[in-house]
Amino acid sequence: KILVIGACGQLGSELTVALRQRKGNENVIASDVREPSGELADGPFELLNVMDKKAMEAIIDKHSINQIYHLAAILSAKGEKDPKFAWDLNMTSLLNVLELARDKKLEKIYWPSSIAVFGPNTPKQNTPQHTIMDPNTVYGISKLAGERWCEYFFEKYGVDVRSLRYPGLIGYKAKPGGGTTDYAVDIFYKALEDGKYESFLSEHTYLPMMYMDDAIKATIDLMETDKEKVKIRSSYNVAAISFSPKEIASEIKKHMPEFTISYNPDFRQSIADSWPDSISDTEARDQWGWNPQFDLSKMTSTILKGLKELLDHQAS
Ligand code: VAH
């Protein structure tokens, strides 16, 4: 049985549905600190505060869990508002999962890292798998430390924990929470609702991004790879598309000619400036066949179509 922690989040809500489609509804237990809504409520759910290791263990025992996808975290922008809380939650929750995985001999663990592990001195173009990593956000610091812990628990205790350094994930089915790359989600909602968008990042801010379906495919592909092929036990670079606010706005304009964008950078600009423009993912491609399906054009048309349907349905 699989336990998804953070199942109500932007990634968790779509990954839980995808896992249930593959493994069967009853075999994927969703958990979060708040009640589920929509499709997520169609399967087993447990309220869980990730800081409570005893409660986590009780859920593992109750449902005979043998795999955990631990997706709960405080993201980059929100983390800067309350650094100590972000560090405590991101690290304590990961260590709770890793210790329970070791002590209960769980089969596999998934934990997401992020391009936020890179910092101002990291090469910005085609950032390699192994390079300088000097993150200067609490979120990035916690993800870098988390990668070190994952590799440690694999090497020292044999915990089969796997991880991906996600770029900015662009998914519209669940609103993102507190990220810097979330402008690329907000822009679609505002385009359809207001016909215009004020970007909190400047027009030429290039960032590595990925459509949610590709992120889910990468996650499941990695988790289904034979153990001995998973050579990287910190976290894999994975890449799909890189674009700027100006470029995604131009792509939207192809579908909505009247759409306009303006720019009003805020504190998130300095976070974005500390991250790479593009990522090299040769190890993921070579070791477990990573191959993204969505470019900017396909992602934009897919989201505009899907989000229009979602908003019309909500309005009806
Ligand atoms: C964030 N969406 O903005 C996350 C992600 C690379 C960005 O980690 O914080």
Side-chain angles (χ1 to χ4, degrees):
K1 294 276 186 79
I2 293 174
L3 173 62
V4 179
I5 297 175
C8 294
Q10 181 199 19
L11 169 63
S13 55
E14 296 204 47
L15 186 60
T16 301
V17 170
L19 287 168
R20 282 176 171 167
Q21 281 162 355
R22 296 171 82 90
K23 312 279 185 184
N25 234 27
E26 293 317 302
N27 295 319
V28 183
I29 296 34
S31 75
D32 207 305
V33 73
R34 62 183 192 276
E35 290 292 343
S37 59
E39 238 181 310
L40 208 50
D42 297 345
F45 180 86
E46 295 278 358
L47 279 173
L48 171 63
N49 173 344
V50 289
M51 307 296 271
D52 184 344
K53 190 178 174 184
K54 284 252 165 293
M56 195 183 287
E57 181 169 15
I59 291 172
I60 292 170
D61 294 343
K62 175 181 171 185
H63 294 279
S64 311
I65 298 296
N66 69 344
Q67 287 190 25
I68 298 179
Y69 286 69
H70 173 31
L71 310 177
I74 305 294
L75 297 185
S76 60
K78 198 169 163 199
E80 292 307 294
K81 304 280 189 195
D82 190 346
K84 186 66 176 57
F85 174 65
W87 171 259
D88 284 346
L89 186 139
N90 292 2
M91 298 323 302
T92 304
S93 65
L94 175 61
L95 286 169
N96 286 345
V97 169
L98 291 173
E99 287 172 348
L100 286 167
R102 174 194 61 199
D103 300 344
K104 305 176 91 70
K105 298 188 177 13
L106 300 189
E107 181 198 349
K108 269 184 243 182
I109 302 296
Y110 179 75
W111 173 79
S113 183
S114 159
I115 60 160
V117 296
F118 301 118
N121 291 297
T122 305
K124 290 227 176 301
Q125 307 306 329
N126 292 316
T127 302
Q129 177 70 44
H130 302 290
T131 184
I132 297 165
M133 300 162 85
D134 56 345
N136 59 9
T137 63
V138 174
Y139 172 72
I141 294 165
S142 74
K143 287 299 184 183
L144 179 52
E147 290 190 4
R148 300 287 91 235
W149 276 115
C150 288
E151 193 174 83
Y152 183 89
F153 268 76
F154 175 73
E155 299 292 348
K156 196 168 172 66
Y157 306 118
V159 172
D160 186 357
V161 51
R162 307 178 186 197
S163 180
L164 297 172
R165 287 173 185 159
Y166 289 133
L169 297 190
I170 314 305
Y172 65 91
K173 291 173 188 165
K175 285 229 168 178
T180 298
T181 55
D182 297 341
Y183 88 86
V185 178
D186 299 342
I187 193 169
F188 286 105
Y189 278 86
K190 293 291 187 307
L192 291 171
E193 287 163 349
D194 309 338
K196 62 182 188 314
Y197 178 61
E198 182 181 86
S199 169
F200 56 73
L201 298 182
S202 64
E203 65 180 315
H204 299 303
T205 306
Y206 264 86
L207 285 169
M209 301 283 200
M210 184 182 292
Y211 181 52
M212 185 59 76
D213 289 11
D214 269 337
I216 287 166
K217 182 177 181 306
T219 307
I220 292 174
D221 285 358
L222 174 62
M223 289 299 274
E224 291 183 351
T225 297
D226 295 344
K227 189 174 180 176
E228 57 284 349
K229 289 187 181 157
V230 182
K231 301 273 187 283
I232 305 267
R233 290 296 178 162
S234 49
S235 187
Y236 278 93
N237 280 7
V238 279
I241 24 183
S242 282
F243 56 79
S244 64
K246 186 177 174 60
E247 283 184 341
I248 191 168
S250 306
E251 198 58 38
I252 290 172
K253 278 196 186 97
K254 289 178 186 169
H255 301 264
M256 305 172 70
E258 307 72 39
F259 172 69
T260 59
I261 184 167
S262 57
Y263 302 95
N264 184 18
D266 66 12
F267 76 100
R268 288 168 283 195
Q269 184 65 45
S270 59
I271 295 175
D273 290 342
S274 73
W275 291 345
D277 293 355
S278 60
I279 299 287
S280 160
D281 56 4
T282 46
E283 287 81 357
R285 289 171 185 269
D286 295 350
Q287 294 174 16
W288 47 273
W290 165 237
N291 179 25
Q293 305 300 307
F294 286 79
D295 61 10
L296 179 57
S297 168
K298 188 176 171 189
M299 179 183 84
T300 301
S301 53
T302 304
I303 294 181
L304 283 175
K305 181 176 179 299
L307 186 53
K308 208 175 289 175
E309 283 164 15
L310 182 71
L311 294 174
D312 289 350
H313 175 71
Q314 285 173 349
S316 64

